[in-house]
Amino acid sequence: MKIKYSINFHKALTFAIVLGLMFLYHNFTIGAWVYLCLHGTYGFLWLIKDSIFPDKQWEQEIPTSQGIITFVLLGLYWVAPFILISSGTVPPLPLVAAAIVVNIVGVFLHFTSDAQKYYTLKYKTGLITEGFFAKCRNPNYLGEVLIYLGFSMLTQHWLPFVIQGLFIAMIFVPNMLKKDKSLSRYPEFEEYKQNSGLFFPKLFNSRISSKEKTTA
């Protein structure tokens, strides 16, 4: 099976899981509804994204057992809605507004940078050094972190932040470093690395020379 099957199944179930928790705990407060809209919509948008511009790293074949383990680990992301809905906690409106803003910015960065990468590499291979990737080498990962940060903010609990931190440390950072190692085969990578951040945009640096712009 492909690893994306576990990921997509998790995304597809999220709306039903959150809605089910709302009915189970009879919690239909604003925090629960906002969480349902944000996380549920993100799951559906992910499925649309995968059908239009899929990420090739999720196309790799894995044993069925590994696919099951992947799904179980992704299930940790459902801890946030469980805490929020089962506790009956109602987040204050300013926090709700802040979480929505963070989440929307995250979705924008994640999906648009993935689209740029997919369509650029579809027609030309090499480094991508402009657009979303001009100042940040992993804007898609930054976007995904912001998405789940918005979810965690709504819970007002420390555990979702810890879970997100573990995913960052055990999956995101190793993948970003692996990507850097792969891109280092290009002679222009060192200068690009000096002018871009691994995770956060590098806003104050020298500009990339014109010959390096999008050898993508």
Side-chain angles (χ1 to χ4, degrees):
M1 66 177 292
K2 293 182 178 180
I3 191 171
K4 75 173 187 178
Y5 296 156
S6 297
I7 299 173
N8 290 354
F9 188 42
H10 173 268
K11 304 295 185 185
L13 280 179
T14 295
F15 185 91
I17 292 293
V18 178
L19 186 60
L21 287 170
M22 291 171 64
F23 276 98
L24 179 63
Y25 291 99
H26 306 287
N27 186 341
F28 301 96
T29 60
I30 186 171
W33 279 112
V34 169
Y35 193 100
L36 174 68
C37 291
L38 292 180
H39 205 163
T41 300
Y42 169 59
F44 294 139
L45 289 177
W46 174 282
L47 297 177
I48 295 173
K49 179 180 85 77
D50 182 67
S51 67
I52 299 174
F53 48 97
D55 193 324
K56 67 177 183 180
Q57 71 172 319
W58 306 132
E59 297 290 332
Q60 66 185 39
E61 297 284 343
I62 59 172
T64 301
S65 58
Q66 186 176 337
I68 295 174
I69 293 173
T70 298
F71 179 79
V72 171
L73 289 176
L74 289 173
L76 292 174
Y77 278 134
W78 290 333
V79 169
F82 172 77
I83 291 174
L84 172 66
I85 295 170
S86 65
S87 68
T89 301
V90 179
L93 290 181
L95 179 61
V96 171
I100 292 174
V101 170
V102 170
N103 182 266
I104 290 175
V105 172
V107 170
F108 173 75
L109 282 176
H110 183 31
F111 281 49
T112 52
S113 60
D114 266 358
Q116 179 189 351
K117 180 180 69 173
Y118 176 83
Y119 287 107
T120 300
L121 296 178
K122 183 177 180 179
Y123 298 104
K124 188 185 297 183
T125 60
L127 285 178
I128 304 174
T129 60
E130 65 177 10
F132 290 99
F133 294 86
K135 300 296 183 181
C136 177
R137 300 197 294 284
N138 296 281
N140 47 348
Y141 279 120
L142 174 59
E144 191 166 358
V145 168
L146 291 176
I147 289 170
Y148 284 97
L149 178 60
F151 300 155
S152 298
M153 289 168 62
L154 289 173
T155 68
Q156 302 180 83
H157 194 280
W158 57 270
L159 185 55
F161 293 99
V162 171
I163 292 173
Q164 185 176 8
L166 290 175
F167 273 99
I168 292 172
M170 298 177 64
I171 299 176
F172 290 11
V173 171
N175 282 349
M176 288 188 288
L177 295 177
K178 181 180 178 181
K179 176 185 173 183
D180 264 12
K181 185 177 180 180
S182 175
L183 295 179
S184 65
R185 69 185 185 275
Y186 297 105
E188 63 269 36
F189 175 72
E190 281 305 316
E191 185 169 354
Y192 171 53
K193 184 178 179 180
Q194 293 299 317
N195 288 283
S196 61
L198 177 67
F199 182 70
F200 293 106
K202 198 170 189 178
L203 302 178
F204 304 100
N205 51 21
S206 58
R207 299 186 64 180
I208 301 173
S209 59
S210 59
K211 70 177 181 179
E212 293 179 356
K213 289 184 178 179
T214 313
T215 50

